Amino acid sequence: MSRAAWISTIVGCIVSITNCCVQKKKINEYYHKYLKYHKFTLSIIVIITAIICFNTYLLKQDSANGRILIWKIAITNSVKYPWGVGLGNFAGTYGKMQSEYFSEKGHNDTEIKIAGAPDYAFNEYIQILIESGYISLLFFILLNGYSLYKAYQTKKYPAIAAITALLTFALFSYPFSVLPILIVYTFLVAWCNTSNYSPKWKRTKQKNSISIILLIIMLSSTLYLVKDSYGSYTAYKAWEKQKIYFNAGIYEDIIPEYQRLYPWLKDNKRFLFEYAQCLSKSKQYFQSNEIIKEAIKISGDPAFYNIAGKNYQAMKNYHKAEKYYLQSIHTVPNRLYPYYLLVKLYKEIGDEKKSKKYASILLQKEPKVPSTAIKEMRTEIKKILEMNNENNHDLTKFKEIYK
């Protein structure tokens, strides 16, 4: 059910057939022989292609629209980051972009419905643009263009078909974030740029020195990666054990272990979420917000803003709590939980007008995914509104008696 995979497979097959299975002379002969049918055949192909593309779009329409929204927001804001935001920081930066986008008025309900908190751009070219800037994207395009040109010169048609398929897939997905695919891509580019023939004297003269240099580089890299990977591996194993206590609600006791694992797992948003939650539940609100500041650099998940808002609310800093709740709403406006938190906040500070405003939105807004939690939130908000109405009625009655 991956449309991107089907499209890239078809493109790769077409390139492979064109390059390998059909001789150029045969194509020319066929074209001139059936020239009178050429326009009709081309029209049929265009119509069939259009029908297939349209039906592919309808297959998972919301998913396609969601990716288009990501591309639209990312490209529009790319001019703000000409040198990029750094590798691995796309999700956090995009969360801020989307928050700014939805904080402005005039957006339709469809965009609000399909908005999410993506970890990837679903387009490697756009992700490279945001993370590494315009120069890196240009270098990437030139590298692939030159590799394809060299492969065509040396008649490496399988490599051309494979890279074309992979680059097509990169238009709609995130293949370079999957390590095995990235390794395959690296070998394909290397294959395209190697010569089919090397003079015998050159091979014999340089063979030993090149082999030794490559061997040293590979061994050094392997030892470094193994050392680093082993530390990460043991950290993940230890984290899996601590999750049992986290899920059981034993937060304060596992904070020292999370603190120890932080240097190894600080690029994992789920770990940072649990760590921040542990600190928040243990009333270490300032420390929790420090972890959240690191988390929102690599993640656009509005759940982090919700925790930060709760922390500030517990510290009686209502202005900042309101700011973070609104940030959560603007980041992914189809989620209802931040509306619930805002209602509770305004109720606590005695702002009945704003409390009723967001309570009304919470009760009327259609959830993206209905759940028991949403029903419970709405039930609680209805009780709060009923209590407010009763209190207002009693106050009015008291004023009338007093008069």
Side-chain angles (χ1 to χ4, degrees), residues 24 50 69 95 108 147 150 198 206 232 241 294 305 367 382:
K24 189 176 179 181
L69 177 65
N108 56 52
S147 299
K150 290 291 289 184
S198 179
Q206 297 182 350
S232 298
K241 292 179 181 178
E294 295 300 315
Y305 297 118
K382 285 178 182 178

Side-chain angles (χ1 to χ4, degrees), residues 300-317:
D301 192 338
F304 289 108
Y305 297 118
N306 295 336
I307 298 174
K310 288 179 184 178
N311 291 338
Y312 281 115
Q313 187 173 345
M315 292 188 288
K316 308 299 181 184
N317 191 337

Side-chain angles (χ1 to χ4, degrees), residues 316-369:
K316 308 299 181 184
N317 191 337
Y318 299 118
H319 176 71
K320 281 198 172 181
E322 179 189 34
K323 174 189 169 184
Y324 276 98
Y325 291 150
L326 290 172
Q327 181 90 357
S328 178
I329 287 172
H330 293 147
T331 302
V332 185
N334 54 51
R335 295 189 183 177
L336 301 184
Y337 186 54
Y339 290 100
Y340 167 79
L341 294 174
L342 269 174
V343 173
K344 301 275 281 186
L345 172 69
Y346 292 131
K347 179 67 179 173
E348 184 176 327
I349 63 179
D351 193 333
E352 297 294 337
K353 185 178 179 181
K354 287 185 176 179
S355 179
K356 286 181 179 178
K357 174 187 172 183
Y358 285 99
S360 176
I361 294 172
L362 175 60
L363 295 173
Q364 294 176 13
K365 199 175 185 68
E366 284 297 321
K368 187 174 182 179
V369 181

Side-chain angles (χ1 to χ4, degrees), residues 85-96 131 262 266 269 272 290-301 304-305:
V85 298
L87 294 176
N89 293 332
F90 170 81
T93 305
Y94 178 78
K96 295 179 181 68
E131 290 190 345
Y262 174 75
K266 61 184 178 182
K269 68 173 187 177
L272 294 177
E290 289 299 308
I291 298 300
I292 287 169
K293 286 178 184 178
E294 295 300 315
I296 60 178
K297 292 178 183 178
I298 61 170
S299 174
D301 192 338
F304 289 108
Y305 297 118

